[in-house]
Amino acid sequence: MWQKIYFDLDNTLFSYEYAFQHAIRDTYLELVDHWKEAHLSVPDVPLDDWFEVFKYFSDVYWEDYQNKHISQRDYRRKRYMETMRHFHLPCTPEEADQFHASAYDRVLGYVQPFPGLYPLLQLLADHRFELGIITNGHAHIQRKKCLKLGLERYIPDQHIYISEEIGLAKPDPAFFKLVRGTCCPAEAALFIGDTWEHDVIGALEAGWQAVYLNTQNRPRTTSHQPLAEFQHLYQFYQFIQELLR
Ligand SMILES: [Mg+2]
């Protein structure tokens, strides 16, 4: 049996996709209100049409951003400006920056736990596993998400490991080794995450056991063997329930 059970955060404990989409849509609606108040004469573009095109350009430039051919700022500017131009709506690079700042502020408002999260954490806490989080990202943003999810009831602050603070990022096995420490054998540590390349490969390469929580239905890209694969967090909860019965 394991001693330590650690989780990824985004798209593992809550749907980042859901939160992000709602934040972007709210921000567009606010912009439309702003145009109306300013009596600007602009084409009337329904939210769903606008969002579909925004998503299209997000996907178009995603690879350039992933491959570091463009910066994060340029990625955001491109998808925003192209969307606005497509509909003949006004836009400047500065407005693109403002739009994204405003949208990312809203994401937190839509962070809500996946079904089964609290019964799962309660069950694991009752069985005295050490629980924690290993996440890549900015410390202040990731901590706010943890607070919004109320994770402090189950996971102490010192077991929340964030790449920005540690100076290591998934999938670097050194990150997992540091979290495991010296008292816990590698095979007694379990990691659950939604990103094959970061979470599953990272954990397995560090000798941990790993569960692929494939919430976005993405194919495996290597022949690594996780302990199990589920699409929904509550399925992992059922799996653990069976195991601890
Ligand atoms: Mg994730």
Side-chain angles (χ1 to χ4, degrees):
M1 240 323 155
W2 310 292
Q3 293 175 24
K4 298 185 183 227
I5 301 181
Y6 275 70
F7 295 88
D8 168 53
L9 186 57
D10 296 71
N11 290 322
T12 294
L13 302 187
F14 73 98
S15 173
Y16 182 81
E17 285 314 303
Y18 170 90
F20 174 74
Q21 285 198 18
H22 280 269
I24 290 286
R25 292 165 74 98
D26 282 3
T27 308
Y28 172 71
L29 291 179
E30 185 189 56
L31 189 60
V32 171
D33 282 348
H34 168 76
W35 287 332
K36 275 189 192 142
E37 276 165 25
H39 301 291
L40 273 182
S41 128
V42 297
D44 190 10
V45 180
L47 172 62
D48 285 337
D49 296 356
W50 183 88
F51 187 74
E52 199 180 317
V53 172
F54 181 82
K55 212 170 153 21
Y56 169 78
F57 283 116
S58 296
D59 293 342
V60 165
Y61 293 111
W62 176 248
E63 215 167 282
D64 281 348
Y65 171 49
Q66 278 300 92
N67 297 333
K68 299 190 166 50
H69 294 148
I70 54 174
S71 67
Q72 184 183 69
R73 193 184 68 174
D74 285 343
Y75 169 65
R76 291 174 178 178
R77 283 182 173 184
K78 274 176 184 287
R79 66 180 177 185
Y80 180 85
M81 308 273 292
E82 296 278 347
T83 305
M84 292 312 209
R85 283 189 199 122
H86 175 87
F87 291 113
H88 306 288
L89 293 167
C91 64
T92 66
E94 292 70 30
E95 281 165 6
D97 297 346
Q98 241 172 33
F99 180 90
H100 281 90
S102 175
Y104 282 101
D105 277 348
R106 286 186 159 97
V107 164
L108 201 64
Y110 287 105
V111 170
Q112 45 186 272
F114 274 139
L117 176 62
Y118 299 135
L120 168 68
L121 293 178
Q122 189 61 57
L123 179 66
L124 295 174
D126 289 346
H127 281 78
R128 311 232 170 261
F129 293 107
E130 179 188 308
L131 304 179
I133 301 289
I134 305 176
T135 178
N136 287 355
H138 295 296
H140 69 283
I141 297 173
Q142 298 308 76
R143 277 186 198 285
K144 276 188 193 164
K145 291 173 187 165
C146 291
L147 274 177
K148 182 79 199 301
L149 289 168
L151 296 186
E152 72 280 1
R153 278 175 282 159
Y154 309 96
I155 299 173
D157 196 52
Q158 70 268 25
H159 293 161
I160 297 176
Y161 292 85
I162 305 173
S163 61
E164 187 186 53
E165 286 175 344
I166 306 294
L168 294 165
K170 295 181 289 185
D172 188 346
F175 197 2
F176 289 90
K177 281 186 186 135
L178 178 130
V179 173
R180 177 169 61 83
T182 48
C183 300
C184 172
E187 64 277 9
L190 173 68
F191 191 63
I192 299 96
D194 74 289
T195 305
W196 183 262
E197 292 75 13
H198 288 169
D199 299 325
V200 178
I201 296 180
L204 289 176
E205 292 284 327
W208 290 44
Q209 296 201 15
V211 165
Y212 186 27
L213 193 66
N214 193 1
T215 56
Q216 298 188 84
N217 203 13
R218 290 189 171 147
R220 302 176 180 198
T221 53
T222 63
S223 61
H224 288 77
Q225 281 301 324
L227 176 68
E229 174 174 341
F230 305 106
Q231 270 197 303
H232 303 285
L233 187 69
Y234 74 81
Q235 293 170 322
F236 176 64
Y237 170 52
Q238 290 170 332
F239 170 77
I240 288 290
Q241 256 185 328
E242 263 320 297
L243 217 60
L244 297 177
R245 203 182 292 268

